[in-house]
Amino acid sequence: MTLELFLLSAAGLFAIGLYGALSQQSIVMLMMGLELMLNGVILAAAAFWYFLAPAGTEGQVLIVVVVTAMAIEMAAGFAVATAIYRARQVDMTDGAADLKG
Amino acid sequence: MVVVSWVLALAAVVSGFGVFRLNSMARVTFSLLVSFLAVAGLVLLLGLDYLSAVIVLMMVIEMVVMAVFMIMYMMNPAGLMPMAMYHNKAGAMTISVGTFVLLAAGILLVDWPERRGAPAPDPTFALGRSLMGEQMLTMMTLGITLFATIVATVVLSTGRGRYDRLGDDLDSATADDPLGGGVGR
């Protein structure tokens, strides 16, 4: 077990999630991409805690924050999806491009 | 340990990739769940058993909720009609591969510092102490944010609330409903 292995898998998860968040048209799939990016952040935080600073608890606290952020992202994302679907029957990101500048 | 960590890391990345490659929404959801479980396994390997259990419990429930919303909002939930649901695929691929190369270069080139100190005998106890001690501000911020999320999600997802039915001061004698109901409609 090395720090590099963990960080490389975390970077892989982050990049795949970024690809999904940028390329998916469906709002639900876009959120899956965001979740995958945060999944990578969890892995990186755990690896940094274990391999660099195991004496402190900051790495663990960061994981708690990220897990909470995932829950909030899901709840808020689905609430926004519900609101925009109710108002305009939009379920694709391309249907909600009003603010595109 | 080394073999297990390689297998889990590979499983996490491969099933994460499957999320955007598989056709059926059920398979996509479970692929994402496998990726989360593999990461939970890696976190467990690093000695954080409590946080690993939290990730497993949260993600199993979250993916089940996700599956319900998938069926509600996806145009093709069962994947019976293969269809492309992408936009700007080439640009997205370029950006994400570029991000990975940049991160990997950083990971491999940086001279990481030596490991300082040893984990506490009970990391969970140390986490609890720290959340109730010097990290109390973090904990309170999380609590307030979660509360704000509850309020915001209810407001956003309510179609017609009591203010729509009874007026801004809630003093209307009869509710303003599109269809009357009950006795004496």
Side-chain angles (χ1 to χ4, degrees), chain A residues 10 13-14 17-18 31-45 63 65-74, chain B residues 36 39 59 62:
Chain A
L13 286 172
F14 189 84
L18 185 63
M31 286 199 291
M32 286 194 152
L34 294 177
E35 294 270 304
L36 215 49
M37 287 168 82
L38 290 175
N39 198 20
V41 176
I42 289 182
L43 188 53
I63 295 178
V65 171
V66 173
V67 167
T68 315
M70 284 171 111
I72 291 173
E73 178 246 311
M74 282 282 286
Chain B
F36 283 130
V39 166
M59 291 313 148
E62 201 171 303

Side-chain angles (χ1 to χ4, degrees), chain A residues 1 3-9 11-16 18-20 22-26 28-29 32-33 35-36 39 42-43 46-55 57-58 60-61 63-65 67-68 70-72 74-76 78-83 85-86 91-94, chain B residues 2 5-6 9 12-13 16-17 19-20 28-29 32 35-36 39 42-43 46 48 51 55 58-59 62 66 69-70 73-75 85-87 89 92-93 95-96 99-100 103-104 107-108 112-119 123 126-127 130 135 138 142 145-146 149 153 156-159:
Chain A
M1 296 204 298
L3 177 63
E4 280 80 5
L5 166 69
F6 279 85
L7 289 185
L8 280 177
S9 358
L13 286 172
F14 189 84
I16 293 171
L18 185 63
Y19 167 72
L22 289 176
S23 71
Q24 295 291 323
Q25 285 184 315
S26 155
V28 180
M29 292 296 282
M32 286 194 152
E35 294 270 304
L36 215 49
N39 198 20
I42 289 182
L43 188 53
F48 278 127
W49 173 81
Y50 182 80
F51 289 104
L52 297 185
T57 54
E58 289 82 5
Q60 294 196 62
V61 173
I63 295 178
V64 172
V65 171
V67 167
T68 315
M70 284 171 111
I72 291 173
M74 282 282 286
F78 280 130
V80 171
T82 305
Y85 190 81
R86 183 174 275 133
D91 66 344
M92 309 267 275
T93 48
D94 297 322
Chain B
V2 179
S5 68
W6 272 95
V13 175
F17 196 65
V19 171
F20 303 113
V28 163
T29 313
L32 187 57
S35 179
F36 283 130
V39 166
L42 287 170
V43 172
L46 294 178
L48 298 176
L51 287 175
I55 294 174
M58 261 195 64
M59 291 313 148
E62 201 171 303
M66 192 98 149
F69 276 90
M70 283 258 174
Y73 289 125
M74 294 287 293
M75 50 292 209
M85 296 179 294
Y86 299 102
H87 53 190
K89 211 170 159 182
M93 190 54 105
I95 293 174
S96 63
T99 310
F100 179 74
L103 288 174
I107 290 163
L108 297 175
W112 295 108
E114 283 294 304
R115 191 180 196 217
R116 269 207 315 265
L127 174 65
S130 128
Q135 298 282 356
T138 317
L142 288 181
T145 316
L146 279 170
T149 310
T153 47
L156 275 172
S157 55
T158 306

